[in-house]
Amino acid sequence: MDEVWDTIIIGAGSAGMAAAIYAARFNLKVLVIGKEVGGLLNESHNVENYPGYKSITGIDLMLKFKEHMDNLDVPTKTEWVTEVKAENYDDPKKCIYNVITDKGEYKGKTIIFTNGTKHRKLNAKGEEALSGKGVSYCATCDAAFYKNIPVAIVGGGDSAALAGQLVSEFASKVYVIVRKNKMRAEPINLQRLEKNEKVEILYETEVEEILGENLVEKIILSKEYNGSKELPVEGVFIEIGQIIQSELAEKMGVTLNERKEIIINENSETNLRGVYAAGDVGNKEYKQALTGASEGAIAAFAAYALLQKIHEGEDVDVRY
Ligand code: NDP
């Protein structure tokens, strides 16, 4: 008989690792499967709003989560999940979720989706060809390569504001290209950006094309800046938000909203019994390391309560 886990957590970012810590402390047999421990938070240069840390890099915060999880002996698999299938869904006592990955197959009594998001592409002409040759989706990873040269940041959210600040520590000049007439970054991040002498914010402007022989040399803007639509930059950081990675959940019958986020209730439950979601893959309005971790903890509580009920032969809600 194959090993059956009490809960399998798909995704190893802040939400997934918090869920794992709580599940392990409930004595649940928990497995974490994630392509990368830490997830997108690894790319956050500076996190200044996680209580307990006045300022910490995303990667260091995630290493602390990992250390905590390891201390509870939670196994992690660095694998890519390709499918999740329910077996015997109508019988809560026999219901098993089969998690198929690129390397194997695992069985879980409950599932917690915490597989977050991936970077949104701009889909501008030249973007794909110059990706990795001056076009980057990760300022934290690549900012230091852009010393003393002009660069552009595309986007108007928090990520763009934070990237602008970071890249300005290296680049000679930073143009932040915002398609609307205002940025929607956190006020404190926007104020820092506006005060930064190396940064210029170009509003109501889009990037139509990225040009360069082998490396980025310039971008073409949708409207003129200083008398020309051509802007000479040698780097373009694309910071225009994320795409929700909810296809796995959708394929197994989990309900999504119009933004493709998994719909969860206050207990991090989805429409399927024993299936939970937490963090950026879910439909909560505010998405932060802290709120994701909190939803992950709640999912572990709910999974524990469900398994207790099933174990004690109590009736459980069959949800669809
Ligand atoms: P957001 O979705 O908040 O913002 C995306 C920005 O990109 C918007 O300004 C949007 O423009 C713009 N955009 C989208 N598509 C295009 C396009 N095709 N061309 C030009 N511009 C485009 O994404 P963020 O990554 O900034 O933030 C995501 C979430 O993560 C937020 O909730 C944020 O608060 C959070 N975050 C938290 C951090 C932390 O915990 N410290 C750090 C960084 C982010 P428009 O406004 O016109 O839609």
Side-chain angles (χ1 to χ4, degrees):
M1 167 89 180
D2 290 338
E3 184 166 31
V4 179
W5 301 88
D6 288 323
T7 191
I8 297 181
I9 298 169
I10 301 173
S14 57
M17 289 197 278
I21 290 165
Y22 272 75
R25 287 176 47 82
F26 287 131
N27 260 344
L28 296 182
K29 222 171 135 222
V30 52
L31 174 69
V32 175
I33 308 178
K35 201 179 66 156
E36 183 196 12
V37 171
L40 278 194
L41 210 68
N42 284 341
E43 298 176 6
S44 265
H45 175 56
N46 216 2
V47 179
E48 294 183 347
N49 51 12
Y50 199 91
Y53 299 98
K54 275 181 277 190
S55 172
I56 185 167
T57 64
I59 207 159
D60 282 345
L61 183 60
M62 290 299 89
L63 282 173
K64 290 199 179 285
F65 274 50
K66 173 79 166 63
E67 213 176 286
H68 195 161
M69 195 172 69
D70 287 346
N71 191 48
L72 293 162
D73 294 324
V74 176
T76 50
K77 301 266 178 198
T78 314
E79 297 180 20
W80 183 250
V81 178
T82 54
E83 197 176 357
V84 185
K85 284 192 292 196
E87 201 180 299
N88 302 320
Y89 181 78
D90 290 330
D91 182 348
K93 274 202 154 130
K94 292 194 185 144
C95 176
I96 290 290
Y97 294 102
N98 291 299
V99 178
I100 300 151
T101 74
D102 53 352
K103 295 195 184 126
E105 192 166 337
Y106 306 92
K107 291 182 182 298
K109 292 180 189 167
T110 61
I111 297 290
I112 306 178
F113 282 104
T114 63
N115 50 330
T117 61
K118 62 183 178 195
H119 295 296
R120 175 175 289 128
K121 301 266 166 79
L122 190 58
N123 294 326
K125 224 170 142 189
E127 175 184 355
E128 206 179 321
L130 291 164
S131 177
K133 298 173 183 168
V135 172
S136 169
Y137 300 87
C138 178
T140 308
C141 321
D142 298 337
F145 297 126
Y146 295 81
K147 279 199 184 96
N148 304 320
I149 53 175
V151 304
I153 313 277
V154 188
D158 247 347
S159 300
L162 293 170
Q165 276 293 97
L166 173 64
V167 174
S168 74
E169 289 173 23
F170 303 92
S172 57
K173 174 90 193 174
V174 176
Y175 300 97
V176 181
I177 319 280
V178 182
R179 69 179 176 184
K180 286 208 178 117
N181 62 359
K182 59 175 191 291
M183 288 188 76
R184 53 171 148 111
E186 261 184 56
I188 189 166
N189 295 331
L190 182 55
Q191 280 158 15
R192 285 178 187 163
L193 195 72
E194 285 170 338
K195 276 195 201 144
N196 188 319
E197 287 179 356
K198 276 195 195 170
V199 173
E200 204 159 330
I201 309 177
L202 313 187
Y203 288 104
E204 295 183 271
T205 308
E206 292 190 50
V207 174
E208 292 190 333
E209 192 172 354
I210 305 170
L211 290 160
E213 193 73 18
N214 292 310
L215 295 169
V216 170
E217 292 165 17
K218 60 186 169 191
I219 55 178
I220 308 295
L221 302 174
S222 58
K223 76 172 193 203
E224 287 189 0
Y225 165 76
N226 277 349
S228 172
K229 283 188 172 184
E230 279 191 19
L231 186 66
V233 290
E234 291 173 46
V236 182
F237 286 90
I238 297 173
E239 299 284 352
I240 58 169
Q242 313 296 330
I243 294 175
I244 315 285
Q245 302 198 105
S246 53
E247 305 86 352
L248 285 173
E250 184 177 31
K251 223 173 132 197
M252 70 181 290
V254 171
T255 307
L256 311 183
N257 66 10
E258 67 292 343
R259 292 193 295 194
K260 296 273 173 200
E261 295 162 329
I262 298 177
I263 299 177
I264 54 170
N265 65 13
E266 68 282 5
N267 289 337
S268 297
E269 292 167 316
T270 71
N271 59 308
L272 293 185
R273 186 198 60 246
V275 179
Y276 308 86
D280 289 2
V281 77
N283 68 329
K284 294 288 151 118
E285 187 62 27
Y286 304 110
K287 297 189 174 184
Q288 300 279 299
L290 181 68
T291 57
S294 151
E295 289 156 31
I298 292 167
F301 265 106
Y304 174 65
L306 175 75
L307 292 171
Q308 284 287 101
K309 274 190 179 175
I310 294 173
H311 181 69
E312 282 160 20
E314 282 181 44
D315 284 344
V316 293
D317 182 21
V318 176
R319 304 160 62 89
Y320 289 98

